[in-house]
Amino acid sequence: MDLVTPSGQEPAAGSPPRQAPTPLLRLRGLSKNFGPVQALSGVDLDITAGRVTALAGDNGAGKSVLIKCIAGIHPPSSGEMWWAGERVDLGSPRDAAHLGIETVYQDLALCNNLDIVENMFLGRERTRRFVLDEESMEHSALDTLKSLAVTSVRSIRQPVASLSGGQRQSVAIAKAVLWNSKLVIMDEPTAALGVAQTTMVLELVRRLADRGVAVLVVSHNMNDVFEVADRIAVLHLGKMVAVRPVSELDRQVVVDLMTTGRSTRGALRSPAAEQDDGPAR
């Protein structure tokens, strides 16, 4: 692996070489087809702890298929997945959760008729002597929300139906973090949110990365992407056309990559060469 500086340039003369951190998740040559339809083709991507990686692409580029492969929903047709330096095969979402991969989908998968605690422990309820351990679950839910600085909800026993869009997103993210997740995938986390709620969610995403969690965000909103991401990975027609530090890109270049698969401002290096981009901001 080439050693590079945070800006992607070679180290200055006389400076000691810097060893790049080992990626938490490494995808190599990942492909997925559904019959004759090739959804992904030879995707390479490294995701490192403590960084926010934004996954961008036009409709039909393969973003949803890629995150579902990582989440254990779709088994790849070919390619390799490496987790913390070890080769893994994810046969189900349970396998992914066992490793520490949690996904917050666009619909959030929250039950409106349940309160915050019940939603956060849904399907993973704690029991003591065959009875729900309500006290333990309440303490864990409250501690998780506090650790993420989520202070906008008035009670952890508040029904989800009474929450705003931003509050629901915060609960869904806290639910993922509750299970000691190491990689959190978010699908359009700010879709249909107002300005204030979007700001709240983006700050929460940044706090996750600052805690050492790897975050993969799928978003069409370029303003949000450039606000929160450390790197941007761009898919075009199922192929990874660029993975670059956000400081080396602008909105027009990303749009060009999303729509044409190439930049009008000169050639980009291969995605494999862009994996090491230095420490998170």
Side-chain angles (χ1 to χ4, degrees), residues 19-273:
Q19 182 63 46
T22 301
L24 179 64
L25 177 66
R26 171 166 287 177
L27 310 179
R28 286 296 178 268
L30 202 73
S31 297
K32 178 63 181 177
N33 62 280
F34 299 93
V37 178
Q38 190 75 34
L40 296 174
S41 180
V43 171
D44 291 347
L45 179 63
D46 288 353
I47 299 176
T48 306
R51 299 180 189 172
V52 179
T53 301
L55 183 62
D58 206 352
N59 291 332
K63 304 185 302 296
S64 295
V65 176
L66 181 58
I67 65 172
K68 287 179 179 178
C69 286
I70 298 173
I73 296 174
H74 293 327
S77 301
S78 61
E80 298 180 348
M81 299 178 65
W82 297 75
W83 179 263
E86 296 185 3
R87 171 79 183 274
V88 295
D89 294 304
L90 303 180
S92 69
R94 187 176 296 274
D95 291 341
H98 180 73
L99 292 177
I101 301 173
E102 296 286 341
T103 305
V104 180
Y105 293 102
Q106 190 170 351
D107 61 7
L108 302 183
L110 298 176
C111 296
N112 288 333
N113 61 318
L114 301 180
D115 63 33
I116 292 174
V117 176
E118 291 168 333
N119 267 282
M120 290 179 67
F121 283 89
L122 187 61
R124 302 176 180 178
E125 292 83 357
R126 294 177 183 171
T127 59
R128 182 172 57 185
R129 297 178 182 176
F130 306 104
V131 178
L132 286 177
D133 191 347
E134 301 281 2
E135 183 178 358
S136 173
M137 290 190 290
E138 286 182 358
H139 282 309
S140 294
L142 186 59
D143 288 345
T144 301
L145 290 169
K146 284 183 176 179
S147 72
L148 295 173
V150 178
T151 58
S152 59
V153 295
R154 66 174 184 270
S155 169
I156 56 174
R157 285 301 184 180
Q158 186 176 348
V160 164
S162 67
L163 301 178
S164 68
Q167 289 172 328
R168 291 178 187 226
Q169 188 66 254
S170 298
V171 170
I173 294 171
K175 178 180 178 180
V177 173
L178 176 65
W179 304 104
N180 297 318
S181 54
K182 298 177 181 178
L183 167 61
V184 175
I185 304 170
M186 301 184 194
D187 186 12
E188 299 288 352
T190 59
L193 296 184
V195 175
Q197 295 174 339
T198 294
T199 299
M200 178 177 68
V201 171
L202 293 181
E203 290 175 350
L204 183 54
V205 171
R206 195 66 249 171
R207 283 196 291 271
L208 274 182
D210 292 342
R211 288 177 48 171
V213 177
V215 183
L216 179 62
V217 177
V218 178
S219 180
H220 283 93
N221 190 314
M222 288 296 103
N223 290 330
D224 293 351
V225 166
F226 278 86
E227 175 70 24
V228 77
D230 297 300
R231 297 185 306 161
I232 301 177
V234 185
L235 280 172
H236 176 68
L237 299 180
K239 296 181 179 180
M240 189 67 73
V241 294
V243 183
R244 296 178 68 85
V246 69
S247 60
E248 297 182 8
L249 296 168
D250 60 36
R251 288 162 179 77
Q252 187 56 53
V253 170
V254 174
V255 171
D256 288 345
L257 290 166
M258 289 171 56
T259 54
T260 68
R262 57 189 178 84
S263 171
T264 59
R265 301 188 183 182
L268 294 172
R269 287 184 288 171
S270 65

